[in-house]
């Protein structure tokens, strides 16, 4: 079984959660637009009602109309906050490696900084003291063990090569106390 087939995306629950996260993020992204539209329609109805008085429900004093607009704005903010919070909490991708994208972004930014003239000695020392390579070694060791425990020997063998290469990289940066 390959890692892609083993992925959470094939899981029905994961798909449902991803769909829910997508819907919540869309709702949060568009809440302000919908709120503005609702307020605009309400203001137009209020102004027209002031001219032709077609319903008594819209006979609201100016101060009351301002309070309703502010309440609508607060409701939009609550919807945005709630939907983004819930989406972040139920997002299955937030627990399966997305934080590694942040690490990748930081490493690429440092490489770009060197290209743009940053002090490469400082970046090398920061790389050594951050212990990124020993942590990556530990992660690849754990991945290899997990695949081996599941009987997926092809992936485990491929990760053994990765473990050895990451170990060599870590050792070349001065980290000699790596365990497996």
């Amino acid at each position: 079984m390959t890692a892609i087939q083993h992925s959470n995306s094939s899981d029905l629950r994961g798909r449902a959660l991803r769909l829910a996260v997508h819907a919540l993020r869309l709702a949060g992204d568009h809440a302000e637009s919908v709120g503005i539209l609702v307020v605009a329609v309400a203001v137009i109805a209020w102004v027209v009602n002031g001219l032709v008085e077609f319903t008594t429900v819209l006979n609201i004093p100016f101060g009351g109309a301002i309070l309703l607009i502010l309440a609508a704005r607060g409701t939009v903010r609550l919807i945005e906050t709630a939907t983004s919070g819930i989406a972040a909490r139920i997002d299955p991708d937030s627990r399966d490696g997305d934080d590694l994208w942040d690490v990748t972004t930081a490493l690429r930014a440092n490489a770009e900084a060197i290209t743009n003239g940053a002090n490469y000695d400082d970046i090398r020392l920061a790389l050594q003291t951050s212990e990124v390579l020993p942590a990556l070694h530990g992660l690849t060791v754990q991945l290899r063990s997990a695949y081996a425990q599941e009987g997926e020997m092809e992936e485990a063998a491929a990760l053994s090569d990765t473990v050895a290469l990451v170990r060599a990289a870590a050792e070349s940066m001065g980290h000699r106390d790596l365990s497996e």
Side-chain angles (χ1 to χ4, degrees), residues 50-76:
L51 297 174
V52 293
E53 213 167 310
F54 58 86
T55 181
T56 57
V57 174
L58 294 175
N59 288 337
I60 302 169
F62 182 73
I66 297 297
L67 284 176
L68 288 174
I69 290 170
L70 291 174
R73 180 72 177 147
T75 302
V76 165

PDB file of all heavy atoms in Angstrom, residues 50-76:
ATOM      1  N   GLY A  50     -39.934  55.446   4.776  1.00  0.00           N
ATOM      2  CA  GLY A  50     -40.091  56.806   5.285  1.00  0.00           C
ATOM      3  C   GLY A  50     -40.800  57.703   4.292  1.00  0.00           C
ATOM      4  O   GLY A  50     -41.490  58.659   4.683  1.00  0.00           O
ATOM      5  N   LEU A  51     -40.679  57.402   3.003  1.00  0.00           N
ATOM      6  CA  LEU A  51     -41.323  58.217   1.967  1.00  0.00           C
ATOM      7  C   LEU A  51     -42.757  57.772   1.690  1.00  0.00           C
ATOM      8  O   LEU A  51     -43.652  58.605   1.553  1.00  0.00           O
ATOM      9  CB  LEU A  51     -40.507  58.154   0.669  1.00  0.00           C
ATOM     10  CG  LEU A  51     -39.088  58.716   0.755  1.00  0.00           C
ATOM     11  CD1 LEU A  51     -38.344  58.455  -0.551  1.00  0.00           C
ATOM     12  CD2 LEU A  51     -39.107  60.202   1.061  1.00  0.00           C
ATOM     13  N   VAL A  52     -42.984  56.471   1.595  1.00  0.00           N
ATOM     14  CA  VAL A  52     -44.321  55.989   1.214  1.00  0.00           C
ATOM     15  C   VAL A  52     -45.042  55.252   2.344  1.00  0.00           C
ATOM     16  O   VAL A  52     -46.206  54.922   2.202  1.00  0.00           O
ATOM     17  CB  VAL A  52     -44.256  55.082  -0.037  1.00  0.00           C
ATOM     18  CG1 VAL A  52     -43.848  55.866  -1.251  1.00  0.00           C
ATOM     19  CG2 VAL A  52     -43.377  53.886   0.188  1.00  0.00           C
ATOM     20  N   GLU A  53     -44.376  54.971   3.403  1.00  0.00           N
ATOM     21  CA  GLU A  53     -44.919  54.306   4.582  1.00  0.00           C
ATOM     22  C   GLU A  53     -45.803  53.105   4.234  1.00  0.00           C
ATOM     23  O   GLU A  53     -47.004  53.096   4.425  1.00  0.00           O
ATOM     24  CB  GLU A  53     -45.715  55.307   5.434  1.00  0.00           C
ATOM     25  CG  GLU A  53     -45.600  54.968   6.893  1.00  0.00           C
ATOM     26  CD  GLU A  53     -46.090  56.072   7.808  1.00  0.00           C
ATOM     27  OE1 GLU A  53     -45.684  57.222   7.643  1.00  0.00           O
ATOM     28  OE2 GLU A  53     -46.885  55.731   8.680  1.00  0.00           O
ATOM     29  N   PHE A  54     -45.128  52.037   3.711  1.00  0.00           N
ATOM     30  CA  PHE A  54     -45.865  50.842   3.316  1.00  0.00           C
ATOM     31  C   PHE A  54     -45.983  49.812   4.426  1.00  0.00           C
ATOM     32  O   PHE A  54     -46.751  48.881   4.321  1.00  0.00           O
ATOM     33  CB  PHE A  54     -45.294  50.220   2.034  1.00  0.00           C
ATOM     34  CG  PHE A  54     -43.836  49.821   2.113  1.00  0.00           C
ATOM     35  CD1 PHE A  54     -43.455  48.590   2.614  1.00  0.00           C
ATOM     36  CD2 PHE A  54     -42.846  50.696   1.665  1.00  0.00           C
ATOM     37  CE1 PHE A  54     -42.123  48.230   2.672  1.00  0.00           C
ATOM     38  CE2 PHE A  54     -41.513  50.329   1.719  1.00  0.00           C
ATOM     39  CZ  PHE A  54     -41.144  49.095   2.220  1.00  0.00           C
ATOM     40  N   THR A  55     -45.233  49.961   5.511  1.00  0.00           N
ATOM     41  CA  THR A  55     -45.379  49.043   6.639  1.00  0.00           C
ATOM     42  C   THR A  55     -44.971  49.753   7.925  1.00  0.00           C
ATOM     43  O   THR A  55     -44.094  50.605   7.942  1.00  0.00           O
ATOM     44  CB  THR A  55     -44.547  47.764   6.456  1.00  0.00           C
ATOM     45  OG1 THR A  55     -44.757  46.902   7.571  1.00  0.00           O
ATOM     46  CG2 THR A  55     -43.086  48.064   6.342  1.00  0.00           C
ATOM     47  N   THR A  56     -45.607  49.387   9.008  1.00  0.00           N
ATOM     48  CA  THR A  56     -45.293  50.010  10.303  1.00  0.00           C
ATOM     49  C   THR A  56     -44.062  49.387  10.948  1.00  0.00           C
ATOM     50  O   THR A  56     -43.470  49.971  11.846  1.00  0.00           O
ATOM     51  CB  THR A  56     -46.487  49.878  11.271  1.00  0.00           C
ATOM     52  OG1 THR A  56     -46.798  48.496  11.412  1.00  0.00           O
ATOM     53  CG2 THR A  56     -47.681  50.647  10.765  1.00  0.00           C
ATOM     54  N   VAL A  57     -43.666  48.200  10.489  1.00  0.00           N
ATOM     55  CA  VAL A  57     -42.502  47.527  11.058  1.00  0.00           C
ATOM     56  C   VAL A  57     -41.243  48.357  10.841  1.00  0.00           C
ATOM     57  O   VAL A  57     -40.343  48.374  11.670  1.00  0.00           O
ATOM     58  CB  VAL A  57     -42.335  46.121  10.424  1.00  0.00           C
ATOM     59  CG1 VAL A  57     -41.049  45.465  10.879  1.00  0.00           C
ATOM     60  CG2 VAL A  57     -43.526  45.256  10.752  1.00  0.00           C
ATOM     61  N   LEU A  58     -41.170  49.067   9.723  1.00  0.00           N
ATOM     62  CA  LEU A  58     -39.980  49.840   9.400  1.00  0.00           C
ATOM     63  C   LEU A  58     -40.025  51.271   9.941  1.00  0.00           C
ATOM     64  O   LEU A  58     -39.170  52.076   9.589  1.00  0.00           O
ATOM     65  CB  LEU A  58     -39.760  49.858   7.881  1.00  0.00           C
ATOM     66  CG  LEU A  58     -39.415  48.503   7.273  1.00  0.00           C
ATOM     67  CD1 LEU A  58     -39.349  48.604   5.764  1.00  0.00           C
ATOM     68  CD2 LEU A  58     -38.106  47.973   7.818  1.00  0.00           C
ATOM     69  N   ASN A  59     -40.990  51.579  10.775  1.00  0.00           N
ATOM     70  CA  ASN A  59     -41.042  52.900  11.408  1.00  0.00           C
ATOM     71  C   ASN A  59     -40.108  52.917  12.615  1.00  0.00           C
ATOM     72  O   ASN A  59     -40.520  52.854  13.762  1.00  0.00           O
ATOM     73  CB  ASN A  59     -42.467  53.260  11.840  1.00  0.00           C
ATOM     74  CG  ASN A  59     -43.347  53.561  10.661  1.00  0.00           C
ATOM     75  OD1 ASN A  59     -42.854  53.914   9.591  1.00  0.00           O
ATOM     76  ND2 ASN A  59     -44.649  53.418  10.847  1.00  0.00           N
ATOM     77  N   ILE A  60     -38.825  52.963  12.314  1.00  0.00           N
ATOM     78  CA  ILE A  60     -37.785  52.923  13.335  1.00  0.00           C
ATOM     79  C   ILE A  60     -37.120  54.292  13.366  1.00  0.00           C
ATOM     80  O   ILE A  60     -36.793  54.851  12.309  1.00  0.00           O
ATOM     81  CB  ILE A  60     -36.732  51.841  12.998  1.00  0.00           C
ATOM     82  CG1 ILE A  60     -37.400  50.473  12.880  1.00  0.00           C
ATOM     83  CG2 ILE A  60     -35.625  51.808  14.042  1.00  0.00           C
ATOM     84  CD1 ILE A  60     -36.490  49.408  12.307  1.00  0.00           C
ATOM     85  N   PRO A  61     -36.889  54.841  14.557  1.00  0.00           N
ATOM     86  CA  PRO A  61     -36.180  56.125  14.610  1.00  0.00           C
ATOM     87  C   PRO A  61     -34.735  55.961  14.115  1.00  0.00           C
ATOM     88  O   PRO A  61     -34.182  54.854  14.090  1.00  0.00           O
ATOM     89  CB  PRO A  61     -36.215  56.518  16.089  1.00  0.00           C
ATOM     90  CG  PRO A  61     -36.602  55.297  16.829  1.00  0.00           C
ATOM     91  CD  PRO A  61     -37.269  54.365  15.871  1.00  0.00           C
ATOM     92  N   PHE A  62     -34.124  57.077  13.752  1.00  0.00           N
ATOM     93  CA  PHE A  62     -32.769  57.060  13.200  1.00  0.00           C
ATOM     94  C   PHE A  62     -31.785  56.372  14.150  1.00  0.00           C
ATOM     95  O   PHE A  62     -30.967  55.560  13.730  1.00  0.00           O
ATOM     96  CB  PHE A  62     -32.311  58.494  12.893  1.00  0.00           C
ATOM     97  CG  PHE A  62     -30.945  58.559  12.282  1.00  0.00           C
ATOM     98  CD1 PHE A  62     -30.741  58.176  10.975  1.00  0.00           C
ATOM     99  CD2 PHE A  62     -29.846  58.984  13.028  1.00  0.00           C
ATOM    100  CE1 PHE A  62     -29.480  58.214  10.404  1.00  0.00           C
ATOM    101  CE2 PHE A  62     -28.582  59.024  12.465  1.00  0.00           C
ATOM    102  CZ  PHE A  62     -28.405  58.649  11.153  1.00  0.00           C
ATOM    103  N   GLY A  63     -31.863  56.667  15.446  1.00  0.00           N
ATOM    104  CA  GLY A  63     -30.973  56.044  16.427  1.00  0.00           C
ATOM    105  C   GLY A  63     -31.156  54.536  16.477  1.00  0.00           C
ATOM    106  O   GLY A  63     -30.195  53.775  16.608  1.00  0.00           O
ATOM    107  N   GLY A  64     -32.392  54.084  16.351  1.00  0.00           N
ATOM    108  CA  GLY A  64     -32.672  52.650  16.326  1.00  0.00           C
ATOM    109  C   GLY A  64     -32.085  51.984  15.090  1.00  0.00           C
ATOM    110  O   GLY A  64     -31.569  50.866  15.155  1.00  0.00           O
ATOM    111  N   ALA A  65     -32.150  52.689  13.966  1.00  0.00           N
ATOM    112  CA  ALA A  65     -31.575  52.155  12.727  1.00  0.00           C
ATOM    113  C   ALA A  65     -30.058  52.020  12.865  1.00  0.00           C
ATOM    114  O   ALA A  65     -29.478  51.017  12.423  1.00  0.00           O
ATOM    115  CB  ALA A  65     -31.929  53.058  11.550  1.00  0.00           C
ATOM    116  N   ILE A  66     -29.422  52.997  13.473  1.00  0.00           N
ATOM    117  CA  ILE A  66     -27.968  52.934  13.692  1.00  0.00           C
ATOM    118  C   ILE A  66     -27.629  51.749  14.595  1.00  0.00           C
ATOM    119  O   ILE A  66     -26.680  51.008  14.335  1.00  0.00           O
ATOM    120  CB  ILE A  66     -27.429  54.254  14.286  1.00  0.00           C
ATOM    121  CG1 ILE A  66     -27.632  55.406  13.311  1.00  0.00           C
ATOM    122  CG2 ILE A  66     -25.980  54.125  14.701  1.00  0.00           C
ATOM    123  CD1 ILE A  66     -26.877  55.255  12.004  1.00  0.00           C
ATOM    124  N   LEU A  67     -28.408  51.556  15.655  1.00  0.00           N
ATOM    125  CA  LEU A  67     -28.171  50.421  16.551  1.00  0.00           C
ATOM    126  C   LEU A  67     -28.336  49.088  15.812  1.00  0.00           C
ATOM    127  O   LEU A  67     -27.561  48.148  16.027  1.00  0.00           O
ATOM    128  CB  LEU A  67     -29.113  50.475  17.749  1.00  0.00           C
ATOM    129  CG  LEU A  67     -28.764  51.501  18.822  1.00  0.00           C
ATOM    130  CD1 LEU A  67     -29.836  51.520  19.896  1.00  0.00           C
ATOM    131  CD2 LEU A  67     -27.406  51.202  19.426  1.00  0.00           C
ATOM    132  N   LEU A  68     -29.325  48.981  14.928  1.00  0.00           N
ATOM    133  CA  LEU A  68     -29.518  47.748  14.162  1.00  0.00           C
ATOM    134  C   LEU A  68     -28.348  47.504  13.206  1.00  0.00           C
ATOM    135  O   LEU A  68     -27.911  46.365  13.019  1.00  0.00           O
ATOM    136  CB  LEU A  68     -30.838  47.788  13.404  1.00  0.00           C
ATOM    137  CG  LEU A  68     -32.086  47.646  14.275  1.00  0.00           C
ATOM    138  CD1 LEU A  68     -33.346  47.844  13.435  1.00  0.00           C
ATOM    139  CD2 LEU A  68     -32.114  46.290  14.959  1.00  0.00           C
ATOM    140  N   ILE A  69     -27.830  48.581  12.613  1.00  0.00           N
ATOM    141  CA  ILE A  69     -26.669  48.441  11.725  1.00  0.00           C
ATOM    142  C   ILE A  69     -25.463  47.964  12.523  1.00  0.00           C
ATOM    143  O   ILE A  69     -24.726  47.067  12.093  1.00  0.00           O
ATOM    144  CB  ILE A  69     -26.375  49.775  10.998  1.00  0.00           C
ATOM    145  CG1 ILE A  69     -27.474  50.049   9.970  1.00  0.00           C
ATOM    146  CG2 ILE A  69     -25.005  49.749  10.332  1.00  0.00           C
ATOM    147  CD1 ILE A  69     -27.426  51.441   9.365  1.00  0.00           C
ATOM    148  N   LEU A  70     -25.244  48.546  13.697  1.00  0.00           N
ATOM    149  CA  LEU A  70     -24.127  48.118  14.549  1.00  0.00           C
ATOM    150  C   LEU A  70     -24.310  46.676  15.016  1.00  0.00           C
ATOM    151  O   LEU A  70     -23.345  45.908  15.091  1.00  0.00           O
ATOM    152  CB  LEU A  70     -23.967  49.063  15.740  1.00  0.00           C
ATOM    153  CG  LEU A  70     -23.480  50.479  15.399  1.00  0.00           C
ATOM    154  CD1 LEU A  70     -23.507  51.362  16.641  1.00  0.00           C
ATOM    155  CD2 LEU A  70     -22.095  50.442  14.795  1.00  0.00           C
ATOM    156  N   ALA A  71     -25.546  46.303  15.314  1.00  0.00           N
ATOM    157  CA  ALA A  71     -25.828  44.919  15.714  1.00  0.00           C
ATOM    158  C   ALA A  71     -25.535  43.961  14.559  1.00  0.00           C
ATOM    159  O   ALA A  71     -24.988  42.871  14.765  1.00  0.00           O
ATOM    160  CB  ALA A  71     -27.278  44.783  16.168  1.00  0.00           C
ATOM    161  N   ALA A  72     -25.885  44.370  13.342  1.00  0.00           N
ATOM    162  CA  ALA A  72     -25.593  43.534  12.173  1.00  0.00           C
ATOM    163  C   ALA A  72     -24.083  43.381  12.006  1.00  0.00           C
ATOM    164  O   ALA A  72     -23.583  42.287  11.715  1.00  0.00           O
ATOM    165  CB  ALA A  72     -26.214  44.136  10.916  1.00  0.00           C
ATOM    166  N   ARG A  73     -23.358  44.472  12.208  1.00  0.00           N
ATOM    167  CA  ARG A  73     -21.893  44.419  12.087  1.00  0.00           C
ATOM    168  C   ARG A  73     -21.308  43.471  13.138  1.00  0.00           C
ATOM    169  O   ARG A  73     -20.418  42.673  12.848  1.00  0.00           O
ATOM    170  CB  ARG A  73     -21.313  45.827  12.255  1.00  0.00           C
ATOM    171  CG  ARG A  73     -19.840  45.913  12.157  1.00  0.00           C
ATOM    172  CD  ARG A  73     -19.403  45.713  10.739  1.00  0.00           C
ATOM    173  NE  ARG A  73     -17.954  45.878  10.663  1.00  0.00           N
ATOM    174  CZ  ARG A  73     -17.201  45.214   9.841  1.00  0.00           C
ATOM    175  NH1 ARG A  73     -17.736  44.385   8.992  1.00  0.00           N
ATOM    176  NH2 ARG A  73     -15.912  45.395   9.827  1.00  0.00           N
ATOM    177  N   GLY A  74     -21.811  43.554  14.362  1.00  0.00           N
ATOM    178  CA  GLY A  74     -21.354  42.655  15.419  1.00  0.00           C
ATOM    179  C   GLY A  74     -21.688  41.203  15.117  1.00  0.00           C
ATOM    180  O   GLY A  74     -20.880  40.304  15.358  1.00  0.00           O
ATOM    181  N   THR A  75     -22.867  40.973  14.556  1.00  0.00           N
ATOM    182  CA  THR A  75     -23.266  39.617  14.182  1.00  0.00           C
ATOM    183  C   THR A  75     -22.340  39.058  13.113  1.00  0.00           C
ATOM    184  O   THR A  75     -21.934  37.887  13.170  1.00  0.00           O
ATOM    185  CB  THR A  75     -24.726  39.609  13.688  1.00  0.00           C
ATOM    186  OG1 THR A  75     -25.559  40.123  14.731  1.00  0.00           O
ATOM    187  CG2 THR A  75     -25.169  38.211  13.302  1.00  0.00           C
ATOM    188  N   VAL A  76     -21.982  39.892  12.146  1.00  0.00           N
ATOM    189  CA  VAL A  76     -21.051  39.461  11.099  1.00  0.00           C
ATOM    190  C   VAL A  76     -19.717  39.072  11.718  1.00  0.00           C
ATOM    191  O   VAL A  76     -19.139  38.034  11.381  1.00  0.00           O
ATOM    192  CB  VAL A  76     -20.870  40.572  10.038  1.00  0.00           C
ATOM    193  CG1 VAL A  76     -19.658  40.310   9.168  1.00  0.00           C
ATOM    194  CG2 VAL A  76     -22.121  40.691   9.190  1.00  0.00           C
TER     195      VAL A  76
END
